[in-house]
Amino acid sequence: MSAAERAGEPAARPAPEPAGDMDGPWSSTVRRDGAGALSVGSVPLAAIAEEFGTPAYVVDLDDLRARSRAYAAAFEDAFSAENGLAGADVYYAGKALLTVGIARAVAECGLRVDTSTGGELAVALRAGVPGAHIGLHGNNKSDAEISAAIDAGVGRIVVDSLAEIDRVEMLAAERGTSVPVMVRVTTGVHAGGHEFIATAHEDQKFGLSLASGAAAEAIRRILARPALELVGIHSHIGSQILDLAGFEAAARAVLTLRADVHREHGTLVPEVDLGGGYGIRYTGTETVPPSPALIASTLADVVSRVCTEVGTPVPRISIEPGRSVVGPAGLTLYRVGTIKDVALGEGRSRRYVSVDGGMSDHIRTALYGAQYTAALANRAAPAGAVPARVVGKHCESGDIVVDHVALPDDVARGDLLAVPATGAYGRSMSSQYNLVPRPPVVGVEGGGARVLVRRETVDDLLGLDLDA
Ligand code: LLP
């Protein structure tokens, strides 16, 4: 045990080497070349830094496509009619990272797109995703967002409250149309991280409670409104979940509700959406994440079993993964600036390695205590390693990118650091804190790199300020 571990701190480990697989924090095309530098999709990260500057979000589009295809194929196979099931659709949860190029890439691979705001909806539509292949979520949708979704002919608006039923109906009636809706049900299954805790997780803002009867009441009301077509029941239990038991419990709950609705109203709700939330590895030390094939076969099995038990035909199934589609496909490239060795007492010290971004482009460490790793990207690393903390350039001591990682002890100003697994909820949760313009999103595919979203500039910041 190291002195740091004795002091109650986790060990600082080096980043795992890129393994060319789909299970680790690195995208599957990341490699170390003969000289020890990192490349993605055969493009050296140093060349990306040179051409596009740092910090930069780098998305491996070939890897993103491979993950998207794996989901589409796994769900098509597992939910086939041959298996006695009624098909399945995979909606990419755009909240993880949505640009026009990314929406096009996932749609080309057979995924649909789940949106949760008018902004995400507009990007999906601009990408050419058919309205019928888009869903709209949100616990507080504006009339403008609902109207935009109806006008785009979205395949489903996921109703999140009783009051929203009236608003969607009114906006549909104004247009003389009927609108496909799902009901988001809070099943009482709360899951997250490595744990599955079955608990009545009622005290939060999303969905309509199964336990209180609000979900059944929403369904009753929707069935009585001619302008609303009940196309599904929806459940989303949490995020970064590595254990599939919670999904099975939630599937059981919503399929049982569907059977109750059938008995009470004679209506067989055609679809059940089991949400997103599948976890990934951020540091390589986590449990191996479930593959799309394992997720699909596990869900297909529970859907068949429960429908047999409750005596209803199987519904069409959908899921909404975000993180597990785009998370490992992305990394953030930073340039090292100030380095400080800080004495911690008892002979221990920590090297603070500052990079040219921070909590404005990477909030998850500060917000959730999320663990990441980092590796030198521009050259080989010598054997020695020092416990380091990678920090940003913002005016907060909580501005931490990687809390603890072993970095080569010759890490120096001007080196490049790559932080893997930042594809999901990195760029999408970024801010302009301290008026730091956002980094670009650089896509790598077919051996080349191109900008998907350009870097913001100080002129962009001043352009929004009408006193400037
Ligand atoms: N569907 C619904 C209804 C959701 O609320 C979410 C995520 C997803 C799908 C996609 O979940 P995923 O497969 O990406 O886990 N900002 C947090 C994550 C918040 C997720 C919110 N909802 C983070 O950075 O970890």
Side-chain angles (χ1 to χ4, degrees), residues 80-147:
S80 65
E82 275 163 37
N83 289 346
L85 287 152
D89 298 302
V90 180
Y91 286 73
Y92 167 65
K95 56 180 68 89
L97 176 64
L98 202 62
T99 75
V100 169
I102 283 177
R104 276 190 194 136
V106 299
E108 278 162 20
C109 297
L111 304 196
R112 301 180 173 207
V113 179
D114 162 46
T115 65
S116 59
T117 61
E120 290 175 7
L121 174 62
V123 171
L125 290 170
R126 182 64 67 90
V129 180
H133 288 188
I134 300 176
L136 179 69
H137 269 282
N139 70 302
N140 186 26
K141 303 173 192 77
S142 67
D143 286 355
E145 287 173 321
I146 295 170
S147 301

Coordinates of all heavy atoms in Angstrom, one line a residue, residues 80-147:
S80 N -36.1 -10.1 -32.9 CA -36.7 -10.5 -34.2 C -38.0 -11.4 -33.9 O -38.2 -11.9 -32.9 CB -35.7 -11.4 -34.9 OG -35.5 -12.6 -34.2
A81 N -38.8 -11.4 -35.0 CA -40.0 -12.2 -35.0 C -39.7 -13.7 -34.8 O -40.4 -14.4 -34.1 CB -40.8 -12.0 -36.3
E82 N -38.5 -14.1 -35.3 CA -38.0 -15.5 -35.1 C -37.9 -15.8 -33.6 O -38.1 -17.0 -33.2 CB -36.7 -15.7 -35.7 CG -36.6 -16.0 -37.2 CD -35.2 -15.8 -37.8 OE1 -34.3 -16.1 -37.1 OE2 -35.2 -15.3 -38.9
N83 N -37.6 -14.8 -32.8 CA -37.4 -15.1 -31.4 C -38.8 -14.8 -30.7 O -38.8 -14.7 -29.5 CB -36.4 -14.1 -30.8 CG -35.0 -14.5 -31.2 OD1 -34.8 -15.6 -31.7 ND2 -34.0 -13.7 -31.0
G84 N -39.8 -14.6 -31.5 CA -41.2 -14.4 -30.9 C -41.3 -13.0 -30.4 O -42.2 -12.8 -29.5
L85 N -40.5 -12.1 -30.8 CA -40.6 -10.7 -30.3 C -41.1 -9.8 -31.4 O -41.2 -10.2 -32.6 CB -39.3 -10.3 -29.7 CG -39.1 -11.0 -28.3 CD1 -37.7 -11.2 -28.0 CD2 -39.9 -10.2 -27.2
A86 N -41.4 -8.5 -31.1 CA -42.0 -7.6 -32.0 C -41.2 -6.5 -32.5 O -41.6 -5.4 -32.9 CB -43.3 -7.1 -31.4
G87 N -39.8 -6.7 -32.5 CA -38.9 -5.7 -33.0 C -38.5 -4.7 -31.9 O -39.1 -4.6 -30.9
A88 N -37.5 -3.9 -32.3 CA -37.0 -2.9 -31.3 C -36.3 -1.8 -32.1 O -35.8 -2.0 -33.2 CB -35.9 -3.6 -30.4
D89 N -36.3 -0.6 -31.5 CA -35.7 0.5 -32.0 C -34.7 1.1 -31.0 O -35.0 1.1 -29.8 CB -36.7 1.6 -32.4 CG -37.7 1.2 -33.4 OD1 -37.2 0.8 -34.5 OD2 -38.9 1.2 -33.1
V90 N -33.5 1.6 -31.5 CA -32.6 2.2 -30.6 C -32.5 3.7 -30.9 O -32.3 4.1 -32.0 CB -31.2 1.6 -30.8 CG1 -30.1 2.2 -29.9 CG2 -31.2 0.0 -30.6
Y91 N -32.8 4.5 -29.9 CA -32.8 5.9 -30.0 C -31.5 6.4 -29.4 O -31.3 6.1 -28.2 CB -34.0 6.6 -29.3 CG -35.3 6.4 -30.0 CD1 -36.0 5.2 -30.1 CD2 -35.9 7.5 -30.7 CE1 -37.2 5.1 -30.7 CE2 -37.1 7.4 -31.3 CZ -37.7 6.2 -31.4 OH -38.9 6.0 -32.0
Y92 N -30.7 7.1 -30.1 CA -29.5 7.7 -29.5 C -29.9 8.9 -28.7 O -30.6 9.8 -29.2 CB -28.5 8.1 -30.6 CG -27.4 9.0 -30.2 CD1 -26.4 8.5 -29.3 CD2 -27.3 10.3 -30.6 CE1 -25.4 9.3 -28.8 CE2 -26.3 11.1 -30.1 CZ -25.3 10.6 -29.2 OH -24.3 11.5 -28.8
A93 N -29.5 8.9 -27.4 CA -29.9 10.1 -26.5 C -29.0 11.3 -26.8 O -27.8 11.3 -26.4 CB -29.8 9.7 -25.1
G94 N -29.5 12.2 -27.6 CA -28.7 13.3 -28.1 C -28.2 14.2 -27.0 O -27.2 15.0 -27.2
K95 N -28.7 14.1 -25.7 CA -28.2 14.9 -24.7 C -26.7 14.6 -24.4 O -26.0 15.5 -23.9 CB -29.0 14.8 -23.4 CG -29.1 13.3 -22.9 CD -29.9 13.3 -21.6 CE -31.4 13.6 -21.9 NZ -32.2 12.4 -22.3
A96 N -26.3 13.4 -24.7 CA -24.9 13.1 -24.5 C -23.9 13.9 -25.3 O -22.9 14.4 -24.8 CB -24.7 11.6 -24.7
L97 N -24.3 14.1 -26.6 CA -23.5 14.9 -27.5 C -24.2 15.0 -28.8 O -24.4 14.0 -29.5 CB -22.1 14.4 -27.8 CG -21.3 15.2 -28.8 CD1 -21.0 16.6 -28.3 CD2 -19.9 14.5 -29.1
L98 N -24.7 16.1 -29.2 CA -25.4 16.2 -30.5 C -24.9 17.3 -31.3 O -24.8 18.5 -30.9 CB -26.9 16.5 -30.2 CG -27.8 16.0 -31.4 CD1 -27.7 14.5 -31.7 CD2 -29.3 16.4 -31.1
T99 N -24.4 17.0 -32.5 CA -24.0 17.9 -33.6 C -24.7 17.4 -34.8 O -25.1 16.2 -34.8 CB -22.5 18.0 -33.8 OG1 -22.1 16.8 -34.5 CG2 -21.7 18.1 -32.5
V100 N -24.8 18.2 -35.8 CA -25.4 17.7 -37.1 C -24.7 16.5 -37.6 O -25.3 15.5 -38.0 CB -25.5 18.8 -38.1 CG1 -26.0 18.3 -39.5 CG2 -26.5 19.9 -37.6
G101 N -23.4 16.5 -37.6 CA -22.5 15.4 -38.1 C -22.7 14.2 -37.3 O -22.8 13.1 -37.8
I102 N -22.9 14.3 -36.0 CA -23.0 13.1 -35.1 C -24.4 12.6 -35.3 O -24.6 11.3 -35.4 CB -22.7 13.5 -33.7 CG1 -21.2 13.5 -33.6 CG2 -23.3 12.5 -32.7 CD1 -20.6 13.9 -32.3
A103 N -25.4 13.4 -35.4 CA -26.8 12.9 -35.6 C -26.8 12.1 -37.0 O -27.4 11.1 -37.1 CB -27.8 14.1 -35.7
R104 N -26.2 12.7 -38.0 CA -26.1 12.0 -39.3 C -25.4 10.6 -39.2 O -25.9 9.6 -39.7 CB -25.4 12.8 -40.3 CG -26.3 13.8 -41.0 CD -25.6 14.5 -42.2 NE -26.4 15.7 -42.5 CZ -25.9 16.9 -42.8 NH1 -24.6 17.1 -42.8 NH2 -26.7 17.9 -43.0
A105 N -24.3 10.6 -38.5 CA -23.5 9.4 -38.4 C -24.4 8.3 -37.7 O -24.4 7.2 -38.2 CB -22.2 9.6 -37.6
V106 N -25.0 8.6 -36.6 CA -25.8 7.6 -35.9 C -27.0 7.1 -36.7 O -27.3 6.0 -36.7 CB -26.1 8.0 -34.4 CG1 -24.9 8.2 -33.6 CG2 -27.1 9.1 -34.3
A107 N -27.6 8.1 -37.3 CA -28.8 7.8 -38.1 C -28.4 6.9 -39.3 O -29.2 5.9 -39.6 CB -29.5 9.1 -38.6
E108 N -27.3 7.1 -39.9 CA -26.8 6.3 -41.0 C -26.6 4.8 -40.6 O -26.7 3.9 -41.3 CB -25.5 6.8 -41.6 CG -25.6 7.9 -42.6 CD -24.3 8.7 -42.8 OE1 -23.2 8.1 -42.4 OE2 -24.4 9.8 -43.2
C109 N -26.3 4.7 -39.3 CA -26.1 3.4 -38.7 C -27.3 2.7 -38.2 O -27.3 1.7 -37.5 CB -25.0 3.4 -37.6 SG -23.4 4.0 -38.3
G110 N -28.5 3.3 -38.4 CA -29.7 2.7 -38.1 C -30.3 3.1 -36.7 O -31.3 2.5 -36.3
L111 N -29.7 4.1 -36.1 CA -30.3 4.6 -34.9 C -31.3 5.7 -35.1 O -31.2 6.5 -36.1 CB -29.2 5.1 -33.9 CG -28.1 4.1 -33.5 CD1 -27.4 4.6 -32.3 CD2 -28.6 2.7 -33.3
R112 N -32.2 5.9 -34.2 CA -33.1 7.0 -34.2 C -32.6 8.0 -33.2 O -31.5 7.8 -32.6 CB -34.5 6.6 -33.8 CG -35.1 5.6 -34.8 CD -36.5 5.1 -34.5 NE -37.0 4.2 -35.5 CZ -38.2 4.1 -35.8 NH1 -39.2 4.7 -35.1 NH2 -38.6 3.3 -36.8
V113 N -33.2 9.2 -33.0 CA -32.6 10.2 -32.1 C -33.6 10.6 -31.0 O -34.8 11.0 -31.4 CB -32.1 11.4 -32.9 CG1 -31.5 12.4 -31.9 CG2 -31.0 11.0 -33.9
D114 N -33.2 10.5 -29.8 CA -34.0 11.0 -28.6 C -33.5 12.4 -28.3 O -32.3 12.6 -28.2 CB -33.8 10.0 -27.5 CG -34.2 10.6 -26.1 OD1 -35.3 11.2 -26.1 OD2 -33.4 10.5 -25.2
T115 N -34.5 13.4 -28.2 CA -34.1 14.7 -27.9 C -34.8 15.1 -26.6 O -35.8 14.5 -26.2 CB -34.5 15.7 -29.0 OG1 -36.0 15.7 -29.1 CG2 -33.9 15.3 -30.3
S116 N -34.3 16.1 -25.9 CA -34.9 16.6 -24.7 C -35.2 18.1 -24.6 O -35.6 18.6 -23.6 CB -34.1 16.1 -23.5 OG -32.9 16.7 -23.5
T117 N -34.9 18.8 -25.7 CA -35.2 20.2 -25.8 C -35.4 20.6 -27.3 O -35.1 19.8 -28.2 CB -34.0 21.0 -25.4 OG1 -32.9 20.8 -26.2 CG2 -33.6 20.8 -23.9
G118 N -35.9 21.8 -27.5 CA -36.1 22.3 -28.8 C -34.7 22.4 -29.5 O -34.7 22.2 -30.8
G119 N -33.7 22.7 -28.8 CA -32.4 22.8 -29.4 C -31.9 21.5 -30.0 O -31.4 21.4 -31.2
E120 N -32.0 20.4 -29.2 CA -31.6 19.1 -29.7 C -32.5 18.7 -30.9 O -32.1 18.1 -31.8 CB -31.7 18.1 -28.6 CG -30.6 18.3 -27.5 CD -30.7 17.3 -26.3 OE1 -31.6 16.4 -26.3 OE2 -30.0 17.5 -25.3
L121 N -33.8 19.0 -30.8 CA -34.8 18.6 -31.8 C -34.3 19.3 -33.1 O -34.3 18.7 -34.2 CB -36.2 19.1 -31.4 CG -37.3 18.9 -32.5 CD1 -37.5 17.5 -32.9 CD2 -38.6 19.5 -32.0
A122 N -34.0 20.6 -33.0 CA -33.6 21.4 -34.2 C -32.3 20.8 -34.9 O -32.2 20.7 -36.1 CB -33.3 22.8 -33.9
V123 N -31.4 20.4 -34.1 CA -30.1 19.8 -34.6 C -30.5 18.4 -35.3 O -30.0 18.2 -36.4 CB -29.1 19.6 -33.5 CG1 -27.9 18.8 -34.0 CG2 -28.6 21.0 -33.1
A124 N -31.3 17.6 -34.7 CA -31.6 16.3 -35.3 C -32.3 16.5 -36.6 O -32.1 15.8 -37.6 CB -32.5 15.5 -34.3
L125 N -33.3 17.5 -36.7 CA -34.0 17.8 -37.9 C -33.0 18.3 -39.0 O -33.1 17.9 -40.1 CB -35.1 18.8 -37.7 CG -36.3 18.2 -36.8 CD1 -37.3 19.3 -36.4 CD2 -37.0 17.1 -37.6
R126 N -32.1 19.2 -38.6 CA -31.2 19.8 -39.5 C -30.3 18.7 -40.1 O -29.9 18.7 -41.3 CB -30.3 20.8 -38.9 CG -29.3 21.5 -39.8 CD -30.0 22.3 -40.9 NE -30.8 23.4 -40.4 CZ -30.2 24.7 -40.2 NH1 -29.0 24.9 -40.5 NH2 -31.0 25.6 -39.6
A127 N -30.1 17.6 -39.3 CA -29.2 16.5 -39.8 C -30.0 15.6 -40.8 O -29.5 14.7 -41.4 CB -28.8 15.7 -38.6
G128 N -31.3 15.9 -40.9 CA -32.1 15.1 -41.9 C -32.7 13.9 -41.2 O -33.2 13.0 -41.9
V129 N -32.7 13.8 -39.9 CA -33.3 12.6 -39.3 C -34.8 12.8 -39.4 O -35.4 13.9 -39.1 CB -33.0 12.6 -37.7 CG1 -33.7 11.4 -37.1 CG2 -31.5 12.5 -37.5
P130 N -35.5 11.8 -40.0 CA -37.0 12.0 -40.2 C -37.7 12.2 -38.9 O -37.3 11.6 -37.8 CB -37.4 10.6 -40.8 CG -36.2 9.9 -41.1 CD -35.0 10.5 -40.3
G131 N -38.7 13.1 -38.9 CA -39.4 13.4 -37.6 C -39.9 12.1 -37.0 O -39.9 12.0 -35.8
A132 N -40.4 11.2 -37.8 CA -41.0 10.0 -37.2 C -39.9 9.2 -36.4 O -40.3 8.3 -35.7 CB -41.5 9.1 -38.3
H133 N -38.6 9.4 -36.7 CA -37.6 8.7 -36.0 C -37.0 9.5 -34.8 O -35.9 9.3 -34.3 CB -36.4 8.4 -36.9 CG -36.8 7.3 -37.9 ND1 -35.9 6.7 -38.7 CD2 -38.0 6.7 -38.1 CE1 -36.5 5.8 -39.4 NE2 -37.8 5.7 -39.1
I134 N -37.7 10.6 -34.4 CA -37.3 11.4 -33.3 C -38.3 11.4 -32.1 O -39.5 11.4 -32.4 CB -37.1 12.9 -33.7 CG1 -36.1 13.0 -34.9 CG2 -36.7 13.8 -32.6 CD1 -35.9 14.4 -35.5
G135 N -37.8 11.4 -30.9 CA -38.6 11.5 -29.7 C -38.3 12.7 -29.0 O -37.2 13.3 -29.1
L136 N -39.3 13.3 -28.3 CA -39.0 14.5 -27.5 C -39.4 14.2 -26.0 O -40.5 13.8 -25.7 CB -39.9 15.7 -28.0 CG -39.7 17.0 -27.1 CD1 -38.3 17.6 -27.3 CD2 -40.7 18.0 -27.4
H137 N -38.4 14.4 -25.1 CA -38.6 14.3 -23.7 C -38.6 15.7 -23.1 O -38.3 16.7 -23.7 CB -37.4 13.6 -23.1 CG -37.5 12.1 -23.0 ND1 -38.2 11.5 -22.1 CD2 -37.0 11.1 -23.8 CE1 -38.2 10.2 -22.2 NE2 -37.4 9.9 -23.3
G138 N -38.7 15.7 -21.7 CA -38.6 16.9 -21.0 C -39.6 17.0 -19.9 O -40.8 16.7 -20.2
N139 N -39.2 17.4 -18.7 CA -40.2 17.6 -17.6 C -40.8 18.9 -17.6 O -41.8 19.1 -16.9 CB -39.5 17.4 -16.3 CG -38.5 18.5 -15.9 OD1 -37.6 18.8 -16.7 ND2 -38.8 19.2 -14.8
N140 N -40.4 19.8 -18.4 CA -40.9 21.2 -18.5 C -40.9 21.7 -19.9 O -40.3 22.8 -20.1 CB -40.2 22.1 -17.5 CG -40.9 23.5 -17.4 OD1 -42.1 23.6 -17.6 ND2 -40.1 24.5 -17.0
K141 N -41.5 21.0 -20.8 CA -41.4 21.4 -22.2 C -42.2 22.7 -22.4 O -43.3 22.9 -21.8 CB -42.0 20.3 -23.1 CG -41.4 19.0 -23.0 CD -42.2 18.0 -23.8 CE -41.9 16.5 -23.5 NZ -42.4 16.0 -22.3
S142 N -41.7 23.6 -23.2 CA -42.4 24.8 -23.5 C -43.4 24.6 -24.6 O -43.3 23.6 -25.3 CB -41.5 25.9 -23.9 OG -40.9 25.6 -25.2
D143 N -44.4 25.4 -24.7 CA -45.4 25.3 -25.8 C -44.7 25.3 -27.1 O -45.0 24.6 -28.1 CB -46.4 26.4 -25.7 CG -47.4 26.2 -24.6 OD1 -47.4 25.1 -23.9 OD2 -48.3 27.1 -24.4
A144 N -43.6 26.2 -27.2 CA -42.9 26.3 -28.5 C -42.2 24.9 -28.8 O -42.2 24.5 -30.0 CB -41.8 27.4 -28.4
E145 N -41.7 24.3 -27.8 CA -41.0 23.0 -28.0 C -42.0 21.9 -28.4 O -41.8 21.1 -29.4 CB -40.2 22.5 -26.8 CG -39.0 23.4 -26.5 CD -38.3 23.1 -25.2 OE1 -39.0 22.9 -24.2 OE2 -37.1 23.1 -25.1
I146 N -43.1 21.9 -27.8 CA -44.2 20.9 -28.1 C -44.7 21.2 -29.5 O -44.8 20.2 -30.4 CB -45.3 20.9 -27.1 CG1 -44.8 20.5 -25.7 CG2 -46.5 20.0 -27.5 CD1 -45.8 20.7 -24.6
S147 N -44.9 22.5 -29.8 CA -45.4 22.8 -31.2 C -44.4 22.4 -32.2 O -44.7 21.8 -33.3 CB -45.6 24.3 -31.3 OG -46.6 24.7 -30.3

